[in-house]
Amino acid sequence: MKLRLWGTRGSVAAPGADTARYGGNTSCVEVRGRDGTVLVLDAGTGIRPLGRALGRTVRQVNVLLTHLHMDHIQGLGFFAPLYDPDVETHLWGPASTMLDLRGRLVRYLSPPLFPVHLRDLRRLVLHDLPGGEFDVGEFRVRADRVCHPGFTVGYRVASQDATLAYLSDHEPALGVPRFPLPGDWTSGHALVRGVELLVHDAQYSLAEYPAHVGWGHCALEHALAFARLARVGHLVTFHHDPAHDDDDIDRLTADAMASVRVPFAVTAGAEGATFEL
Amino acid sequence: MSQKPIEVILMRQLASTLAMPIFLVDAGGTLVFYNEPAERVLGMRFDETGELPPGEWATLWVPTEGDGSPLAPERLPLMVAVAERRPAHGEFWIRGMDGERRHIEATAFPLMRLTDQVLGAVVLFWESAS
């Protein structure tokens, strides 16, 4: 499978000269399978350029939402395939206790917040996330709830020859004085264990984390320790804080890697970066 | 080693920060955690017991009626919470691992997921003054 990062920024888009290398678009990752299955992980503002680049041969797109915070759905209404009668878009996301996915999404995709009604997107098929695993094209997908405010999941995506995990918003260290605990007591561990590639929240530095406990995000050092606990092959840090410019991300990543030694590759996620598994 | 459901993990993390004694079991009644205030009442640190199936933890603290007769496990509030998916309250006696006999009041509630799947139960308990 192939991955491309279309948006790596957390919380809110942060365009500008000082964020040009890592990118200013919010969460969106494209995953392509050998047989052409197209998965899109989250619909932040990065999904807009992805929609333009998909190509005319794609007839089905499968979008998996981790949760419905604005930075993960804001690009949805600007995703060109939703308005193309030749393309069917399947959208998976978590329901809440009281509302299904449609009921939750329509709060954003309707006037006055957005001029187009969800019901007018004729080739959009919505799916409340089922429990356990399900198949999307050639991929076996597992969604599980993870530690982040609201109804939030992480994904494990497996093909015949590769496995990745995507936990864009995750605070596994919440309430844990000496992180990490063993894997069975660590949020997200079962999703991530042994994957070749992990795309994971790394919004804060360890120094910034205490002022943001409970906000649902991860310090870089926690992301490294979590990935080490789960024995991943490669960690791609993600959901960069909008207050961090490119130089900050370079410096904070180097500092974290100096304090938490890990036996795997670490890449600070940059918009446009590609990975082949 | 399988990962606990996120709701159980968060419950343990919350219990770890609270001053009330809290005891946490999974859907099968297996003891998966109790906090430091509970350690004082039970007379043993959680690190010493670890996880225990219901047949074992019930014999450690031997819940009894006031007259000393054994309390049936299914009458324990947390077992009611798991089995009947409802809050439950009760009084009973235990003998802590420190040898002290204590009068306990306990309130339990089930941990349930959206799908009504029972993930376990939580019991808050106090050593009664009587």
Side-chain angles (χ1 to χ4, degrees), chain A residues 97 145 147 151 174 176 183-190 193, chain B residues 1-4 6-10 12-13 24 32 51 114:
Chain A
T97 45
R145 285 192 66 185
C147 187
F151 295 86
L174 179 64
V176 183
D184 58 336
W185 282 106
T186 300
S187 166
H189 182 262
R193 186 172 44 210
Chain B
M1 180 178 69
S2 60
Q3 186 201 305
K4 307 284 190 291
I6 185 65
E7 295 85 349
V8 174
I9 291 174
L10 291 173
R12 173 185 174 149
Q13 290 168 350
L24 179 59
V32 293
E51 297 192 9
L114 295 179

PDB file of all heavy atoms in Angstrom, chain A residues 97 145 147 151 174 176 183-190 193, chain B residues 1-4 6-10 12-13 24 32 51 114:
ATOM      1  N   THR A  97     -24.086   8.558  21.355  1.00  0.00           N
ATOM      2  CA  THR A  97     -25.143   7.829  22.050  1.00  0.00           C
ATOM      3  C   THR A  97     -26.525   8.200  21.521  1.00  0.00           C
ATOM      4  O   THR A  97     -27.436   7.383  21.531  1.00  0.00           O
ATOM      5  CB  THR A  97     -25.111   8.133  23.557  1.00  0.00           C
ATOM      6  OG1 THR A  97     -24.956   9.541  23.725  1.00  0.00           O
ATOM      7  CG2 THR A  97     -23.974   7.425  24.233  1.00  0.00           C
ATOM      8  N   ARG A 145     -12.203   2.736  19.840  1.00  0.00           N
ATOM      9  CA  ARG A 145     -12.186   4.022  20.535  1.00  0.00           C
ATOM     10  C   ARG A 145     -10.843   4.235  21.214  1.00  0.00           C
ATOM     11  O   ARG A 145     -10.233   3.303  21.733  1.00  0.00           O
ATOM     12  CB  ARG A 145     -13.317   4.092  21.549  1.00  0.00           C
ATOM     13  CG  ARG A 145     -14.670   4.303  20.898  1.00  0.00           C
ATOM     14  CD  ARG A 145     -15.725   4.653  21.912  1.00  0.00           C
ATOM     15  NE  ARG A 145     -15.450   5.950  22.513  1.00  0.00           N
ATOM     16  CZ  ARG A 145     -16.183   6.453  23.510  1.00  0.00           C
ATOM     17  NH1 ARG A 145     -17.192   5.763  23.989  1.00  0.00           N
ATOM     18  NH2 ARG A 145     -15.897   7.643  24.006  1.00  0.00           N
ATOM     19  N   CYS A 147      -8.382   7.365  23.544  1.00  0.00           N
ATOM     20  CA  CYS A 147      -8.516   8.429  24.533  1.00  0.00           C
ATOM     21  C   CYS A 147      -8.406   9.804  23.871  1.00  0.00           C
ATOM     22  O   CYS A 147      -7.305  10.271  23.542  1.00  0.00           O
ATOM     23  CB  CYS A 147      -7.437   8.259  25.604  1.00  0.00           C
ATOM     24  SG  CYS A 147      -7.632   9.401  26.961  1.00  0.00           S
ATOM     25  N   PHE A 151     -16.471  11.070  20.848  1.00  0.00           N
ATOM     26  CA  PHE A 151     -16.435   9.731  20.268  1.00  0.00           C
ATOM     27  C   PHE A 151     -15.358   9.693  19.199  1.00  0.00           C
ATOM     28  O   PHE A 151     -15.585  10.118  18.071  1.00  0.00           O
ATOM     29  CB  PHE A 151     -17.813   9.375  19.711  1.00  0.00           C
ATOM     30  CG  PHE A 151     -18.852   9.262  20.782  1.00  0.00           C
ATOM     31  CD1 PHE A 151     -19.532  10.382  21.220  1.00  0.00           C
ATOM     32  CD2 PHE A 151     -19.110   8.043  21.383  1.00  0.00           C
ATOM     33  CE1 PHE A 151     -20.468  10.290  22.240  1.00  0.00           C
ATOM     34  CE2 PHE A 151     -20.044   7.933  22.389  1.00  0.00           C
ATOM     35  CZ  PHE A 151     -20.725   9.063  22.825  1.00  0.00           C
ATOM     36  N   LEU A 174      -2.968  10.329  29.451  1.00  0.00           N
ATOM     37  CA  LEU A 174      -3.895  11.000  30.366  1.00  0.00           C
ATOM     38  C   LEU A 174      -4.042  10.203  31.661  1.00  0.00           C
ATOM     39  O   LEU A 174      -4.421   9.029  31.636  1.00  0.00           O
ATOM     40  CB  LEU A 174      -5.268  11.163  29.707  1.00  0.00           C
ATOM     41  CG  LEU A 174      -6.338  11.841  30.566  1.00  0.00           C
ATOM     42  CD1 LEU A 174      -5.952  13.278  30.886  1.00  0.00           C
ATOM     43  CD2 LEU A 174      -7.695  11.806  29.863  1.00  0.00           C
ATOM     44  N   VAL A 176      -1.843   9.070  33.658  1.00  0.00           N
ATOM     45  CA  VAL A 176      -0.818   8.048  33.907  1.00  0.00           C
ATOM     46  C   VAL A 176       0.450   8.759  34.408  1.00  0.00           C
ATOM     47  O   VAL A 176       1.132   9.422  33.621  1.00  0.00           O
ATOM     48  CB  VAL A 176      -0.497   7.247  32.634  1.00  0.00           C
ATOM     49  CG1 VAL A 176       0.507   6.141  32.945  1.00  0.00           C
ATOM     50  CG2 VAL A 176      -1.764   6.669  32.029  1.00  0.00           C
ATOM     51  N   GLY A 183       0.958  -2.613  27.973  1.00  0.00           N
ATOM     52  CA  GLY A 183       0.105  -2.450  26.806  1.00  0.00           C
ATOM     53  C   GLY A 183      -1.365  -2.683  27.064  1.00  0.00           C
ATOM     54  O   GLY A 183      -2.213  -1.999  26.477  1.00  0.00           O
ATOM     55  N   ASP A 184      -1.687  -3.632  27.946  1.00  0.00           N
ATOM     56  CA  ASP A 184      -3.112  -3.922  28.155  1.00  0.00           C
ATOM     57  C   ASP A 184      -3.820  -2.773  28.866  1.00  0.00           C
ATOM     58  O   ASP A 184      -5.043  -2.707  28.868  1.00  0.00           O
ATOM     59  CB  ASP A 184      -3.325  -5.247  28.891  1.00  0.00           C
ATOM     60  CG  ASP A 184      -2.643  -5.313  30.239  1.00  0.00           C
ATOM     61  OD1 ASP A 184      -1.664  -4.570  30.438  1.00  0.00           O
ATOM     62  OD2 ASP A 184      -3.077  -6.111  31.081  1.00  0.00           O
ATOM     63  N   TRP A 185      -3.074  -1.847  29.479  1.00  0.00           N
ATOM     64  CA  TRP A 185      -3.669  -0.692  30.147  1.00  0.00           C
ATOM     65  C   TRP A 185      -3.347   0.599  29.390  1.00  0.00           C
ATOM     66  O   TRP A 185      -3.380   1.683  29.988  1.00  0.00           O
ATOM     67  CB  TRP A 185      -3.187  -0.595  31.593  1.00  0.00           C
ATOM     68  CG  TRP A 185      -3.891  -1.555  32.498  1.00  0.00           C
ATOM     69  CD1 TRP A 185      -3.386  -2.706  33.031  1.00  0.00           C
ATOM     70  CD2 TRP A 185      -5.246  -1.472  32.970  1.00  0.00           C
ATOM     71  NE1 TRP A 185      -4.342  -3.336  33.800  1.00  0.00           N
ATOM     72  CE2 TRP A 185      -5.487  -2.601  33.787  1.00  0.00           C
ATOM     73  CE3 TRP A 185      -6.283  -0.547  32.782  1.00  0.00           C
ATOM     74  CZ2 TRP A 185      -6.712  -2.834  34.410  1.00  0.00           C
ATOM     75  CZ3 TRP A 185      -7.503  -0.789  33.411  1.00  0.00           C
ATOM     76  CH2 TRP A 185      -7.710  -1.912  34.216  1.00  0.00           C
ATOM     77  N   THR A 186      -3.032   0.501  28.130  1.00  0.00           N
ATOM     78  CA  THR A 186      -2.674   1.687  27.362  1.00  0.00           C
ATOM     79  C   THR A 186      -3.637   1.860  26.191  1.00  0.00           C
ATOM     80  O   THR A 186      -3.738   0.974  25.330  1.00  0.00           O
ATOM     81  CB  THR A 186      -1.223   1.582  26.846  1.00  0.00           C
ATOM     82  OG1 THR A 186      -0.349   1.467  27.976  1.00  0.00           O
ATOM     83  CG2 THR A 186      -0.842   2.805  26.033  1.00  0.00           C
ATOM     84  N   SER A 187      -4.323   2.987  26.175  1.00  0.00           N
ATOM     85  CA  SER A 187      -5.246   3.293  25.084  1.00  0.00           C
ATOM     86  C   SER A 187      -4.551   3.147  23.737  1.00  0.00           C
ATOM     87  O   SER A 187      -3.430   3.628  23.541  1.00  0.00           O
ATOM     88  CB  SER A 187      -5.753   4.733  25.253  1.00  0.00           C
ATOM     89  OG  SER A 187      -6.385   5.178  24.075  1.00  0.00           O
ATOM     90  N   GLY A 188      -5.209   2.483  22.809  1.00  0.00           N
ATOM     91  CA  GLY A 188      -4.710   2.383  21.436  1.00  0.00           C
ATOM     92  C   GLY A 188      -3.717   1.272  21.189  1.00  0.00           C
ATOM     93  O   GLY A 188      -3.379   0.993  20.029  1.00  0.00           O
ATOM     94  N   HIS A 189      -3.276   0.608  22.234  1.00  0.00           N
ATOM     95  CA  HIS A 189      -2.185  -0.358  22.065  1.00  0.00           C
ATOM     96  C   HIS A 189      -2.570  -1.496  21.126  1.00  0.00           C
ATOM     97  O   HIS A 189      -1.774  -1.907  20.271  1.00  0.00           O
ATOM     98  CB  HIS A 189      -1.766  -0.910  23.430  1.00  0.00           C
ATOM     99  CG  HIS A 189      -0.628  -1.867  23.363  1.00  0.00           C
ATOM    100  ND1 HIS A 189      -0.793  -3.235  23.372  1.00  0.00           N
ATOM    101  CD2 HIS A 189       0.703  -1.656  23.250  1.00  0.00           C
ATOM    102  CE1 HIS A 189       0.386  -3.812  23.288  1.00  0.00           C
ATOM    103  NE2 HIS A 189       1.310  -2.888  23.221  1.00  0.00           N
ATOM    104  N   ALA A 190      -3.796  -2.010  21.281  1.00  0.00           N
ATOM    105  CA  ALA A 190      -4.197  -3.154  20.455  1.00  0.00           C
ATOM    106  C   ALA A 190      -4.274  -2.782  18.976  1.00  0.00           C
ATOM    107  O   ALA A 190      -4.022  -3.615  18.107  1.00  0.00           O
ATOM    108  CB  ALA A 190      -5.548  -3.694  20.927  1.00  0.00           C
ATOM    109  N   ARG A 193      -0.223  -2.309  17.875  1.00  0.00           N
ATOM    110  CA  ARG A 193       0.801  -3.323  18.144  1.00  0.00           C
ATOM    111  C   ARG A 193       1.356  -3.940  16.851  1.00  0.00           C
ATOM    112  O   ARG A 193       0.638  -4.514  16.048  1.00  0.00           O
ATOM    113  CB  ARG A 193       0.195  -4.415  19.035  1.00  0.00           C
ATOM    114  CG  ARG A 193       1.179  -5.462  19.504  1.00  0.00           C
ATOM    115  CD  ARG A 193       0.521  -6.374  20.516  1.00  0.00           C
ATOM    116  NE  ARG A 193      -0.813  -6.763  20.110  1.00  0.00           N
ATOM    117  CZ  ARG A 193      -1.797  -7.045  20.951  1.00  0.00           C
ATOM    118  NH1 ARG A 193      -1.612  -6.974  22.239  1.00  0.00           N
ATOM    119  NH2 ARG A 193      -2.984  -7.413  20.502  1.00  0.00           N
TER     120      ARG A 193
ATOM    121  N   MET B   1      -1.948 -11.148  26.231  1.00  0.00           N
ATOM    122  CA  MET B   1      -2.317  -9.892  26.888  1.00  0.00           C
ATOM    123  C   MET B   1      -3.148  -9.068  25.928  1.00  0.00           C
ATOM    124  O   MET B   1      -2.653  -8.604  24.919  1.00  0.00           O
ATOM    125  CB  MET B   1      -1.047  -9.132  27.267  1.00  0.00           C
ATOM    126  CG  MET B   1      -1.312  -7.816  27.953  1.00  0.00           C
ATOM    127  SD  MET B   1       0.225  -6.988  28.421  1.00  0.00           S
ATOM    128  CE  MET B   1       0.893  -6.548  26.810  1.00  0.00           C
ATOM    129  N   SER B   2      -4.443  -8.932  26.205  1.00  0.00           N
ATOM    130  CA  SER B   2      -5.278  -8.127  25.327  1.00  0.00           C
ATOM    131  C   SER B   2      -5.551  -6.782  25.995  1.00  0.00           C
ATOM    132  O   SER B   2      -5.645  -6.697  27.220  1.00  0.00           O
ATOM    133  CB  SER B   2      -6.589  -8.844  25.032  1.00  0.00           C
ATOM    134  OG  SER B   2      -7.284  -9.064  26.231  1.00  0.00           O
ATOM    135  N   GLN B   3      -5.678  -5.772  25.167  1.00  0.00           N
ATOM    136  CA  GLN B   3      -5.898  -4.428  25.713  1.00  0.00           C
ATOM    137  C   GLN B   3      -7.286  -4.314  26.310  1.00  0.00           C
ATOM    138  O   GLN B   3      -8.263  -4.794  25.752  1.00  0.00           O
ATOM    139  CB  GLN B   3      -5.714  -3.400  24.613  1.00  0.00           C
ATOM    140  CG  GLN B   3      -5.777  -1.962  25.132  1.00  0.00           C
ATOM    141  CD  GLN B   3      -6.095  -0.981  24.035  1.00  0.00           C
ATOM    142  OE1 GLN B   3      -5.411  -0.941  23.025  1.00  0.00           O
ATOM    143  NE2 GLN B   3      -7.143  -0.194  24.232  1.00  0.00           N
ATOM    144  N   LYS B   4      -7.375  -3.665  27.455  1.00  0.00           N
ATOM    145  CA  LYS B   4      -8.671  -3.410  28.083  1.00  0.00           C
ATOM    146  C   LYS B   4      -9.452  -2.405  27.233  1.00  0.00           C
ATOM    147  O   LYS B   4      -8.867  -1.556  26.557  1.00  0.00           O
ATOM    148  CB  LYS B   4      -8.477  -2.824  29.475  1.00  0.00           C
ATOM    149  CG  LYS B   4      -7.564  -3.627  30.400  1.00  0.00           C
ATOM    150  CD  LYS B   4      -8.244  -4.857  30.930  1.00  0.00           C
ATOM    151  CE  LYS B   4      -7.431  -5.531  32.024  1.00  0.00           C
ATOM    152  NZ  LYS B   4      -6.185  -6.159  31.541  1.00  0.00           N
ATOM    153  N   ILE B   6     -11.287   0.951  26.269  1.00  0.00           N
ATOM    154  CA  ILE B   6     -10.868   2.305  26.645  1.00  0.00           C
ATOM    155  C   ILE B   6     -11.656   2.801  27.853  1.00  0.00           C
ATOM    156  O   ILE B   6     -11.123   3.510  28.715  1.00  0.00           O
ATOM    157  CB  ILE B   6     -11.023   3.270  25.438  1.00  0.00           C
ATOM    158  CG1 ILE B   6     -10.487   4.651  25.782  1.00  0.00           C
ATOM    159  CG2 ILE B   6     -12.442   3.363  24.962  1.00  0.00           C
ATOM    160  CD1 ILE B   6      -9.019   4.708  26.033  1.00  0.00           C
ATOM    161  N   GLU B   7     -12.925   2.404  27.967  1.00  0.00           N
ATOM    162  CA  GLU B   7     -13.729   2.857  29.099  1.00  0.00           C
ATOM    163  C   GLU B   7     -13.171   2.315  30.420  1.00  0.00           C
ATOM    164  O   GLU B   7     -13.206   2.997  31.450  1.00  0.00           O
ATOM    165  CB  GLU B   7     -15.187   2.394  28.923  1.00  0.00           C
ATOM    166  CG  GLU B   7     -15.898   3.023  27.718  1.00  0.00           C
ATOM    167  CD  GLU B   7     -15.655   2.279  26.406  1.00  0.00           C
ATOM    168  OE1 GLU B   7     -14.770   1.385  26.359  1.00  0.00           O
ATOM    169  OE2 GLU B   7     -16.352   2.596  25.419  1.00  0.00           O
ATOM    170  N   VAL B   8     -12.666   1.088  30.393  1.00  0.00           N
ATOM    171  CA  VAL B   8     -12.086   0.492  31.598  1.00  0.00           C
ATOM    172  C   VAL B   8     -10.752   1.166  31.920  1.00  0.00           C
ATOM    173  O   VAL B   8     -10.435   1.447  33.087  1.00  0.00           O
ATOM    174  CB  VAL B   8     -11.920  -1.034  31.408  1.00  0.00           C
ATOM    175  CG1 VAL B   8     -11.185  -1.660  32.596  1.00  0.00           C
ATOM    176  CG2 VAL B   8     -13.287  -1.689  31.226  1.00  0.00           C
ATOM    177  N   ILE B   9      -9.972   1.443  30.873  1.00  0.00           N
ATOM    178  CA  ILE B   9      -8.698   2.147  31.091  1.00  0.00           C
ATOM    179  C   ILE B   9      -8.942   3.520  31.708  1.00  0.00           C
ATOM    180  O   ILE B   9      -8.295   3.908  32.691  1.00  0.00           O
ATOM    181  CB  ILE B   9      -7.941   2.286  29.754  1.00  0.00           C
ATOM    182  CG1 ILE B   9      -7.462   0.909  29.284  1.00  0.00           C
ATOM    183  CG2 ILE B   9      -6.769   3.245  29.887  1.00  0.00           C
ATOM    184  CD1 ILE B   9      -6.829   0.913  27.903  1.00  0.00           C
ATOM    185  N   LEU B  10      -9.902   4.251  31.163  1.00  0.00           N
ATOM    186  CA  LEU B  10     -10.177   5.590  31.697  1.00  0.00           C
ATOM    187  C   LEU B  10     -10.712   5.511  33.117  1.00  0.00           C
ATOM    188  O   LEU B  10     -10.403   6.366  33.958  1.00  0.00           O
ATOM    189  CB  LEU B  10     -11.164   6.317  30.782  1.00  0.00           C
ATOM    190  CG  LEU B  10     -10.593   6.705  29.416  1.00  0.00           C
ATOM    191  CD1 LEU B  10     -11.691   7.264  28.513  1.00  0.00           C
ATOM    192  CD2 LEU B  10      -9.476   7.724  29.558  1.00  0.00           C
ATOM    193  N   ARG B  12      -9.942   3.255  35.354  1.00  0.00           N
ATOM    194  CA  ARG B  12      -8.793   3.017  36.237  1.00  0.00           C
ATOM    195  C   ARG B  12      -8.018   4.322  36.462  1.00  0.00           C
ATOM    196  O   ARG B  12      -7.603   4.629  37.585  1.00  0.00           O
ATOM    197  CB  ARG B  12      -7.854   1.968  35.629  1.00  0.00           C
ATOM    198  CG  ARG B  12      -6.573   1.813  36.434  1.00  0.00           C
ATOM    199  CD  ARG B  12      -5.571   0.860  35.794  1.00  0.00           C
ATOM    200  NE  ARG B  12      -4.317   0.859  36.539  1.00  0.00           N
ATOM    201  CZ  ARG B  12      -3.505  -0.191  36.652  1.00  0.00           C
ATOM    202  NH1 ARG B  12      -3.817  -1.314  36.058  1.00  0.00           N
ATOM    203  NH2 ARG B  12      -2.396  -0.107  37.347  1.00  0.00           N
ATOM    204  N   GLN B  13      -7.829   5.079  35.380  1.00  0.00           N
ATOM    205  CA  GLN B  13      -7.066   6.321  35.516  1.00  0.00           C
ATOM    206  C   GLN B  13      -7.783   7.295  36.432  1.00  0.00           C
ATOM    207  O   GLN B  13      -7.155   7.971  37.254  1.00  0.00           O
ATOM    208  CB  GLN B  13      -6.801   6.920  34.131  1.00  0.00           C
ATOM    209  CG  GLN B  13      -5.812   6.075  33.341  1.00  0.00           C
ATOM    210  CD  GLN B  13      -5.726   6.462  31.875  1.00  0.00           C
ATOM    211  OE1 GLN B  13      -6.521   7.238  31.390  1.00  0.00           O
ATOM    212  NE2 GLN B  13      -4.764   5.899  31.179  1.00  0.00           N
ATOM    213  N   LEU B  24     -12.479  -2.306  40.700  1.00  0.00           N
ATOM    214  CA  LEU B  24     -12.922  -2.386  39.304  1.00  0.00           C
ATOM    215  C   LEU B  24     -12.834  -3.833  38.826  1.00  0.00           C
ATOM    216  O   LEU B  24     -11.790  -4.473  38.984  1.00  0.00           O
ATOM    217  CB  LEU B  24     -12.019  -1.474  38.471  1.00  0.00           C
ATOM    218  CG  LEU B  24     -12.197  -1.348  36.970  1.00  0.00           C
ATOM    219  CD1 LEU B  24     -13.588  -0.856  36.611  1.00  0.00           C
ATOM    220  CD2 LEU B  24     -11.151  -0.381  36.417  1.00  0.00           C
ATOM    221  N   VAL B  32      -9.733  -6.326  38.148  1.00  0.00           N
ATOM    222  CA  VAL B  32      -8.669  -5.798  37.292  1.00  0.00           C
ATOM    223  C   VAL B  32      -7.922  -4.638  37.944  1.00  0.00           C
ATOM    224  O   VAL B  32      -6.824  -4.297  37.523  1.00  0.00           O
ATOM    225  CB  VAL B  32      -9.182  -5.393  35.898  1.00  0.00           C
ATOM    226  CG1 VAL B  32      -9.623  -6.618  35.119  1.00  0.00           C
ATOM    227  CG2 VAL B  32     -10.298  -4.362  35.985  1.00  0.00           C
ATOM    228  N   GLU B  51      -4.304  -9.061  38.961  1.00  0.00           N
ATOM    229  CA  GLU B  51      -5.652  -9.404  38.505  1.00  0.00           C
ATOM    230  C   GLU B  51      -6.028 -10.775  39.057  1.00  0.00           C
ATOM    231  O   GLU B  51      -5.201 -11.691  39.071  1.00  0.00           O
ATOM    232  CB  GLU B  51      -5.722  -9.397  36.980  1.00  0.00           C
ATOM    233  CG  GLU B  51      -5.447  -8.010  36.397  1.00  0.00           C
ATOM    234  CD  GLU B  51      -5.781  -7.894  34.921  1.00  0.00           C
ATOM    235  OE1 GLU B  51      -6.388  -8.836  34.360  1.00  0.00           O
ATOM    236  OE2 GLU B  51      -5.446  -6.854  34.328  1.00  0.00           O
ATOM    237  N   LEU B 114     -21.974   1.848  24.158  1.00  0.00           N
ATOM    238  CA  LEU B 114     -23.141   2.241  23.373  1.00  0.00           C
ATOM    239  C   LEU B 114     -24.036   1.070  23.022  1.00  0.00           C
ATOM    240  O   LEU B 114     -25.240   1.157  23.032  1.00  0.00           O
ATOM    241  CB  LEU B 114     -22.685   2.883  22.067  1.00  0.00           C
ATOM    242  CG  LEU B 114     -21.918   4.194  22.159  1.00  0.00           C
ATOM    243  CD1 LEU B 114     -21.549   4.646  20.764  1.00  0.00           C
ATOM    244  CD2 LEU B 114     -22.749   5.223  22.867  1.00  0.00           C
TER     245      LEU B 114
END
